[in-house]
Amino acid sequence: MPTTAKAAAPFPSSGGGGPVRAAVPVARTGLLLVAVSIAVFTATDVLPGDAASVRATPGATQEQVAELRAQLGLDRPAWRRYADWAGGLLTGDAGTSLVNGRPVADAVAQRGAATTALVGGALLVAAPLMLLLGWWAGAARRTRGVVTAVLTGAAAIPTAVVASGLAALLSGALGLLPAVSLLAPGVSPLRSPELLVLPVLSAALPTALFGAGLLSGAVADTLRRPHVADARRRGRPAWAVACVDVLPFLLAPFARVVAISAGGLIAATTVVETLFGYPGLGSLLVSAVAARDVPVVQAIAMLAALVVLAGLLAADLVAAAVSPRRTGPLGEAR
Amino acid sequence: MRLRSVLAAACATVLVAAGCANESAPAEETASVLRYAAVGSPAATTDDPHGRVANEADYLRFAMLYDVLTVPDEHGEIQPRLAESWEPVDGDLTRWRIDLRDDAVFSDGSPVTADDVLFSLRRIQNKGAENNGRLSMFDLDSSQATGEHELELVTARPYAEVGAALAALTFVVPEGSDDLTEPAVGSGPFVLGDGDDTTAVLERNDDWWGPAPGVERLEIIAMADPAARAAAVTSGQADVAGSVSPTVADEHADADGLQVVHRAAAVNYPLVMDLDSEPFDDPDVREAVKLALDREQLVETVFLGHGQVGADIVSPADPSAPDTAPVDRDVERARALLADAGHGDGLSLTLHTTNSYPGMEETAVLAAGQLAEAGIDVQVEVGPPDTYWAEVWNVESFYLNSLGGSAFVDFARMALVSDGPVNETGWNNEEWDADFTAALATADAAERHDRLADLQRRVADEGGYVVWGTGDGLDLAADTVTGLPTGPGFHRLFIDQVGVDG
């Protein structure tokens, strides 16, 4: 049985040496980070109104506003401000808030734990859920198109709607959970896990549906592979087929989808945290944009980009390490 | 199989984390606590009480951490706080002697002196670009401390309302506190405990000179979303939600365990007409607009009845506001006035609005419908809140503004005197300016109020503000909360006597 032998054989994960192959995605991630930093700086620079005009009250004269602008260092040329900013980031200095003059790093650190708990919790919920749903959708034969369409459609429901619906149901109608998630200062969200439930579910559900839609194709492709049909024909139990013949082929796309989902989750925190009054980076970003507090906006945007790019890099490295073969639809997709 | 074990490990981690959380739950609280969810956007949180303060939550915190010189009471009258008295030194009301209490101390133990007060006032004036020129009536270079607890303030012109000027959030910090990116020590009813940019925890200051505050601990939580503020109270995570919408107030008015607190005339959305632009340069057109509105219907619709019908008085809660008869709707008279003004065939206008504040858009749409009945065809244009205050406000000739409950003299200095920095209606009237200056030079309070009332009446009759009604400020609170402020303007910030029963 040549096919079976082929499928069972331990394929080498990569042809060349690991470090050399890893250098390419690492370098790519570094370049992307530079591109993102330029994009973030440019985007925040063209927001209408700068911090000086926002901070000055209606009665202020043009001279007073100009003086304020000079005080805040906003009168220097854009390239100069970018160089200072990017240089600062490299040395770990994210600058000071234009609104209250405090170090941006402090504000970000203060809220980082809360958002980490939220995004981490949502990933723990979303990752297994998307695998199950994606598997279910991919395994559906005739109805696969319909199931995938339903998943994609449901994933398109705005997070705000999902969050309001969940709050109305679990907090309003059933009274199981608090309607807002206020954290006492300096207290870890893990100490009041009930406050995390609504934000975590609101962020995780749309993400899981979206990820399941992405995964279902890979599941369908894998199930159609000859060695799977062969294993079934030989009477291997369904659970063993799933674990031995299918799952290893899904790890690479699964890792990438999880990495992409992490980005989606970070974006979802802006809505979820604002709606539930949860003191994390997402709500900080929203209010920093409203206040034109550019250094804060830039720092959070860069942090989010860093997380997503690091996730994708990790997924690439994981995929390279675990990929059971270098050929076939998944291998070619790289 | 690998995946399963990963999942199992993940589940175990969550369970362990949850278990730990239960074990280490904080000990039961015994101190009396007031948790106040206030309007505020955490990123805008600042520790500088003298510059730009965008958050109500910050103002509340400053009012509890620092002493101010005077305060408005629930009727808008000025009462002593750190200043015991303020008396003119000479007859022309340009030199004022301020006597401070001698028993106020900062929380580091040092006494609050006239030098600290003068330093703070000068710092506020230097930040005029960020605080509406709050103290621009004073000549602080010529002012001086005349004793440990006594100072002489000089005003640029005769200014009888110095007591009110000193109630304009004159937070006193120790002399030399130039950099306020970190909190300074205060001498107010509370001292700063723990906190982050969302929640400030304040502890009662047992050394405060005033009556003991109603609670031992005060938590001020900045929340931008009005629905989230209300939800914090209904779900028991806060005791007070500042500034909720009329809809929320009605929804919870009869709920067990909750109360709605009304603060009169906290908000109004006047239609603003620019006197320098056609067709509003014609007084008949302005009067026609004022007569064509159904003000009761507007108050009923926009504020759900939580408010008062207005008679175009811009600061109706001010102690000097005149008693005026309501403006009754008169569509026929409005039509006649329009015909006299040469608009008998109708008049087309664009009314700009935005949705920065709840009810602004509804106001414009409803007003447009009402004006149409008088033959004024109004196109409503809704602008994005982000750019409205830069691109429409004080620029277009017909739009909606949002005014809080500011004192009349402060409003007039900004928006009604000819050279006022935000004279949005183009109210350039030399005689009115002279009478305003003369009113402020009138020492006798009753006579001064009469003069100010007359000035307000003249703006109502001929000016460009259509103050069709004022809405109540509405706070939602647990019914165990007592003593919440109900007065106009800054009175709402002084919550030191608020208590929590049970």
Side-chain angles (χ1 to χ4, degrees):
Chain A
M1 290 191 228
T3 330
T4 317
K6 193 178 171 195
F11 282 84
S13 62
S14 53
V20 178
R21 293 198 71 85
V24 176
V26 170
R28 192 174 52 200
T29 303
L31 278 177
L32 273 173
L33 212 50
V34 171
V36 166
S37 75
I38 293 173
V40 163
F41 185 85
T42 313
T44 46
D45 212 52
V46 299
L47 272 179
D50 65 8
S53 58
V54 169
R55 194 152 143 179
T57 54
T61 62
Q62 286 305 311
E63 293 81 55
Q64 284 175 315
V65 176
E67 194 184 322
L68 205 56
R69 190 165 283 135
Q71 270 175 28
L72 296 170
L74 296 170
D75 54 346
R76 296 169 307 152
W79 66 267
R80 188 68 208 271
R81 283 181 287 126
Y82 172 78
D84 286 356
W85 171 69
L89 283 186
L90 285 176
T91 57
D93 174 14
T96 52
S97 158
L98 297 180
V99 170
N100 54 36
R102 287 185 304 209
V104 172
D106 287 2
V108 171
Q110 197 181 82
R111 286 157 166 270
T115 293
T116 307
L118 171 55
V119 172
L123 266 182
L124 281 182
V125 173
L129 194 58
M130 73 175 65
L131 188 62
L132 289 177
L133 287 172
W135 198 306
W136 174 61
R141 290 221 178 95
R142 274 172 301 170
T143 53
R144 193 186 140 216
V146 180
V147 172
T148 313
V150 169
L151 284 181
T152 316
I157 298 173
T159 309
V161 176
V162 176
S164 310
L166 284 173
L169 179 69
L170 297 176
S171 170
L174 300 175
L176 294 173
L177 295 165
V180 285
S181 302
L182 304 177
L183 287 180
V187 173
S188 159
L190 296 178
R191 289 182 69 168
S192 5
E194 76 279 2
L195 296 181
L196 274 171
V197 177
L198 277 177
V200 160
L201 286 182
S202 306
L205 289 185
T207 307
L209 295 172
F210 174 72
L214 290 181
L215 267 181
S216 64
V219 172
D221 287 344
T222 310
L223 291 178
R224 255 190 259 121
R225 294 171 83 100
H227 78 270
V228 176
D230 190 60
R232 284 214 183 99
R233 270 199 300 277
R234 285 187 301 114
R236 185 177 276 193
W239 65 267
V241 173
C243 288
V244 177
D245 300 306
V246 181
L247 205 48
F249 291 84
L250 287 180
L251 282 178
F254 183 57
R256 290 205 188 90
V257 171
V258 168
I260 293 169
S261 301
L265 283 174
I266 291 172
T269 59
T270 54
V271 177
V272 168
E273 291 180 1
T274 306
L275 281 176
F276 292 113
Y278 183 83
L281 291 172
S283 57
L284 181 67
L285 176 63
V286 170
S287 49
V289 169
R292 305 287 184 274
D293 199 347
V294 172
V296 175
V297 175
Q298 290 170 336
I300 299 177
M302 285 308 293
L303 193 64
L306 188 65
V307 169
V308 173
L309 290 176
L312 285 172
L313 176 64
D316 275 353
L317 298 178
V318 165
V322 304
S323 180
R325 58 180 64 214
R326 308 258 345 117
T327 55
L330 294 170
E332 282 156 10
R334 297 191 68 201
Chain B
M1 292 311 249
R2 199 161 19 170
L3 185 76
R4 281 196 192 173
S5 42
V6 168
L7 277 182
C11 289
T13 312
V14 171
L15 288 175
V16 168
C20 292
N22 287 339
E23 273 166 40
S24 53
E28 198 167 314
E29 303 285 353
T30 48
S32 59
V33 183
L34 178 72
R35 297 161 302 167
Y36 195 117
V39 184
S41 148
T45 297
T46 175
D47 280 320
D48 188 339
H50 300 154
R52 162 93 167 145
V53 181
N55 282 345
E56 180 102 354
D58 290 341
Y59 271 135
L60 268 178
R61 175 163 44 98
F62 299 147
M64 293 298 97
L65 291 179
Y66 301 107
D67 269 321
V68 290
L69 292 167
T70 63
V71 287
D73 65 14
E74 67 266 37
H75 308 293
E77 305 284 353
I78 303 304
Q79 303 295 337
R81 188 108 165 171
L82 185 62
E84 283 181 319
S85 65
W86 48 98
E87 296 294 336
V89 176
D90 58 11
D92 79 349
L93 304 177
T94 55
R95 305 184 85 80
W96 289 73
R97 177 188 155 132
I98 316 293
D99 281 315
L100 306 175
R101 328 182 46 88
D102 58 10
D103 54 353
V105 284
F106 289 111
S107 57
D108 64 0
S110 54
V112 180
T113 65
D115 288 332
D116 297 315
V117 170
L118 199 57
F119 170 82
S120 302
L121 296 182
R122 284 181 174 149
R123 194 168 181 279
I124 295 169
Q125 194 175 54
N126 287 340
K127 289 190 167 269
E130 296 178 47
N131 62 32
N132 280 328
R134 200 186 285 167
L135 295 181
S136 60
M137 67 290 281
F138 289 108
D139 175 0
L140 291 177
D141 289 338
S142 310
S143 304
Q144 54 181 329
T146 49
E148 181 83 358
H149 299 290
E150 180 190 305
L151 60 156
E152 193 175 286
L153 294 182
V154 178
T155 58
R157 272 193 290 195
Y159 200 87
E161 295 282 353
V162 159
L166 297 179
L169 306 180
T170 46
F171 303 112
V172 175
V173 298
E175 187 179 13
S177 311
D178 293 299
D179 177 20
L180 288 181
T181 52
E182 298 290 330
V185 294
S187 60
F190 286 85
V191 290
L192 192 60
D194 204 359
D196 54 30
D197 59 12
T198 304
T199 307
V201 180
L202 281 57
E203 308 287 348
R204 180 154 80 192
N205 178 7
D206 290 323
D207 296 328
W208 191 50
W209 52 264
V215 291
E216 283 155 55
R217 202 167 80 211
L218 179 61
E219 295 180 14
I220 299 170
I221 310 152
M223 295 177 81
D225 185 63
R229 285 198 298 278
V233 170
T234 57
S235 68
Q237 294 185 76
D239 304 301
V240 183
S243 300
V244 298
S245 69
T247 326
V248 166
D250 277 358
E251 194 182 324
H252 298 292
D254 302 321
D256 280 343
L258 295 176
Q259 58 174 323
V260 175
V261 176
H262 290 243
R263 291 177 278 108
V267 61
N268 70 67
Y269 304 134
L271 276 63
V272 178
M273 302 179 287
D274 178 17
L275 275 57
D276 292 330
S277 309
E278 283 188 348
F280 304 115
D281 51 354
D282 187 330
D284 283 349
V285 172
R286 302 199 293 271
E287 198 182 342
V289 171
K290 289 173 186 174
L291 288 172
L293 292 176
D294 183 342
R295 295 163 187 241
E296 272 164 26
Q297 191 190 20
L298 277 163
V299 171
E300 204 51 51
T301 309
V302 175
F303 298 125
L304 297 183
H306 299 293
Q308 300 285 322
V309 171
D312 304 327
I313 303 296
V314 284
S315 300
D318 193 278
S320 71
D323 274 332
T324 43
V327 179
D328 290 325
R329 192 179 198 206
D330 191 341
V331 176
E332 288 316 306
R333 171 111 181 94
R335 280 184 183 281
L337 284 165
L338 286 171
D340 287 351
H343 303 291
D345 305 333
L347 179 61
S348 283
L349 298 171
T350 300
L351 176 60
H352 296 265
T353 187
T354 181
N355 35 42
S356 290
Y357 300 97
M360 285 185 87
E361 193 176 334
E362 290 86 339
T363 300
V365 172
L366 187 58
Q370 293 171 354
L371 292 170
E373 292 168 31
I376 308 176
D377 176 28
V378 177
Q379 205 73 33
V380 174
E381 196 165 312
V382 186
D386 271 353
T387 52
Y388 188 79
W389 306 102
E391 290 173 8
V392 175
W393 176 82
N394 209 2
V395 175
E396 295 290 346
S397 59
F398 194 37
Y399 62 89
L400 253 64
N401 196 350
S402 168
L403 300 179
S406 60
F408 171 68
V409 170
D410 288 338
F411 182 81
R413 283 195 305 125
M414 297 289 294
L416 292 172
V417 296
S418 302
D419 57 355
V422 288
N423 189 337
E424 55 184 336
T425 55
W427 176 253
N428 296 322
N429 186 323
E430 271 175 40
E431 194 188 333
W432 194 93
D433 288 353
D435 289 348
F436 181 64
T437 306
L440 284 175
T442 306
D444 182 76
E447 191 194 336
R448 183 171 70 250
H449 280 193
D450 282 348
R451 285 170 176 243
L452 291 172
D454 176 58
L455 289 159
Q456 293 173 67
R457 218 176 274 120
R458 278 149 71 181
V459 174
D461 289 344
E462 299 156 41
Y465 287 103
V466 192
V467 186
W468 49 266
T470 54
D472 293 349
L474 300 166
D475 302 326
L476 185 67
D479 61 9
T480 50
V481 177
T482 57
L484 278 169
T486 54
F490 299 129
H491 183 247
R492 71 186 185 281
L493 301 176
F494 293 89
I495 57 171
D496 46 275
Q497 298 306 312
V498 175
V500 181
D501 291 340

